[in-house]
Amino acid sequence: MAAAGRPGLAGLFAVYKPAGVAWGRVRDAVETRLLRELNAAPVRAPRQRVRFLPAPAPGGGGAVELVAARVPVLADHPLVRGPRFKKLKIGAGHRLDVKASGVFVLGVGHGNKLLTDLYNCHLTKVYIVGGLFGKATDDFSDTGNLVEKTTFDHITREKLERILAVIQGTNQKALLMYSNIDMKTQEAYELAVKGLIRPMGKCPPIITAVRCLHFALPEFQLEIHCLHETQQYLRKMVHEMGLELKSSAVCTQVRRIRDGVFTVDDALPRTQWNLQSIQEAIQNCQLKVETELEKTLGHGKSSPLYQLGGDTAEHALAAAEYDRDVMDSRRKEVNCSSLPPFP
């Protein structure tokens, strides 16, 4: 029996995934806890049926007669029926790899359909990324096999922020290109006012904003706003920044603090992965999910933004041949010719 139809247990909610745990184990842990609590809830009494049972006749003498009686239906007995709820359809939103932590969105019941709708919105995700100058590893993380050690005393915050400015500027151009919008039109103006200029189809990872939150050699911390990224892409980005600064760097932390409309404040910690907390989280997030879907997708295919995304995949493939020479010349102007393209 499915539990998706249970009132209050259908929609989207976010949990906080700790580092060192696969996202699949997090989803399975939530499902197991929900099933256990659903099956522990009070159930209706077994159905009754009328049966004619033998009973001693009033006259005695060993005579037997059939007497109508109400007895429970054995098919409704818990030991016969088994658990009421055996499976919950819980879908996962944007994944986090084992080393990453942070906001992880899940959907239950019709929330799986909402997960698809949110994916089609291509909303921005925000990460806190930590880095450490002075060494390089084979997987760009601080837990990988050490490849080399380098000096880092010459690095300053100003030099780091100059690299970040180049990355953001290059990605802003890519964002406009992959959005497939003529910036001289009224439609582009209206989308810009609503903050809806973003790719509505497949495209490479795009950094929409990046800034340095903390700098104390050899450590630094960045806040990165991005689309279509992977956590490994962000680690490699830290590695490439180290090379551009004539040093090396490894990523010490990738923590997602926002996934679309869900923030870290919405994410349930491990101690709150229970039925009541999840029901409350679904109700609390329902309004802002619906608002975002209405704003971005509008009324289905009548939305101009939705129609814009119809041919975006084909345009994205064609746009992949954009003028690399222009990008390279811009990079040379700021003396960052070795910085790899982002995206």
Side-chain angles (χ1 to χ4, degrees):
M1 181 176 181
R6 183 182 176 90
L9 194 58
L12 297 177
F13 62 98
V15 299
Y16 190 91
K17 181 192 120 27
V21 181
W23 66 266
R25 290 186 58 189
V26 172
R27 182 187 62 183
D28 293 344
V30 172
E31 179 182 0
T32 301
R33 179 68 179 270
L34 287 177
L35 286 173
R36 182 167 67 246
E37 294 194 19
L38 285 171
N39 287 319
V43 299
R44 61 178 175 82
R47 292 172 297 170
Q48 300 285 321
R49 64 165 34 168
V50 176
R51 297 193 61 181
F52 291 93
L53 302 177
V64 176
E65 66 177 1
L66 295 178
V67 178
R70 299 180 64 87
V71 296
V73 177
L74 293 181
D76 289 347
H77 194 281
L79 296 180
V80 178
R81 184 188 64 233
R84 294 177 62 210
F85 304 105
K86 301 177 181 179
K87 182 70 176 176
L88 276 178
K89 187 177 181 182
I90 296 183
H94 297 107
R95 274 65 162 172
L96 286 168
D97 62 26
V98 174
K99 295 180 181 179
S101 62
V103 180
F104 182 40
V105 180
L106 298 174
V108 59
H110 75 79
N112 289 275
K113 172 64 168 57
L114 295 178
L115 280 176
T116 302
D117 293 338
L118 280 182
Y119 177 83
N120 292 332
C121 289
H122 300 275
L123 301 176
T124 300
K125 297 179 284 296
V126 183
Y127 291 84
I128 298 297
V129 177
L132 182 71
F133 289 118
K135 66 178 183 178
T137 61
D138 58 349
D139 64 355
F140 314 126
S141 74
D142 59 338
T143 58
N145 296 321
L146 184 65
V147 174
E148 65 174 353
K149 288 188 176 182
T150 56
T151 59
F152 52 82
D153 295 337
H154 61 282
I155 301 175
T156 64
R157 181 165 188 156
E158 290 73 19
K159 292 180 180 179
L160 174 61
E161 291 182 341
R162 192 179 306 133
I163 299 297
L164 300 181
V166 174
I167 294 174
Q168 183 166 332
T170 304
N171 279 263
Q172 285 294 334
K173 295 179 181 179
L175 175 64
L176 297 177
M177 179 190 63
Y178 284 108
S179 296
N180 192 32
I181 300 174
D182 184 356
M183 299 306 296
K184 298 180 180 179
T185 62
Q186 178 68 20
E187 180 183 42
Y189 171 77
E190 293 175 355
L191 292 176
V193 170
K194 297 178 181 179
L196 295 178
I197 293 184
R198 53 179 175 263
M200 296 304 288
K202 292 183 179 179
C203 75
I206 294 180
I207 307 298
T208 59
V210 56
R211 66 189 181 107
C212 180
L213 296 178
H214 173 73
F215 184 87
L217 286 177
E219 299 178 355
F220 63 97
Q221 191 177 69
L222 307 175
E223 179 182 298
I224 302 177
H225 299 236
C226 47
L227 296 165
H228 302 166
E229 82 300 331
T230 64
Q231 290 78 56
Q232 188 63 11
Y233 174 82
L234 299 178
R235 296 186 187 98
K236 185 177 180 180
M237 176 179 166
V238 170
H239 168 76
E240 298 292 349
M241 285 191 298
L243 295 179
E244 193 57 41
L245 290 166
K246 305 299 186 291
S247 181
S248 57
V250 294
C251 184
T252 59
Q253 176 195 41
V254 176
R255 177 172 175 257
R256 186 157 67 198
I257 61 172
R258 186 180 189 92
D259 185 353
V261 299
F262 293 91
T263 67
V264 70
D265 293 332
D266 300 317
L268 299 175
R270 178 69 179 85
T271 55
Q272 295 181 14
W273 295 355
N274 55 67
L275 180 60
Q276 180 178 352
S277 297
I278 290 176
Q279 286 178 319
E280 293 175 355
I282 290 175
Q283 295 174 359
N284 294 338
C285 296
Q286 182 177 359
L287 178 59
K288 60 181 179 181
V289 170
E290 293 176 352
T291 302
E292 182 61 44
L293 291 177
E294 177 67 23
K295 182 177 75 170
T296 304
L297 299 181
H299 300 283
K301 295 186 178 181
S302 63
S303 167
L305 192 64
Y306 188 92
Q307 294 172 354
L308 253 176
D311 300 322
T312 304
E314 290 78 3
H315 284 82
L317 293 176
E321 303 299 329
Y322 68 92
D323 191 359
R324 294 285 180 179
D325 293 335
V326 175
M327 292 295 186
D328 290 341
S329 63
R330 167 59 181 158
R331 286 144 53 81
K332 290 177 182 178
E333 290 175 5
V334 292
N335 195 26
C336 292
S337 58
S338 62
L339 186 68
F342 290 93

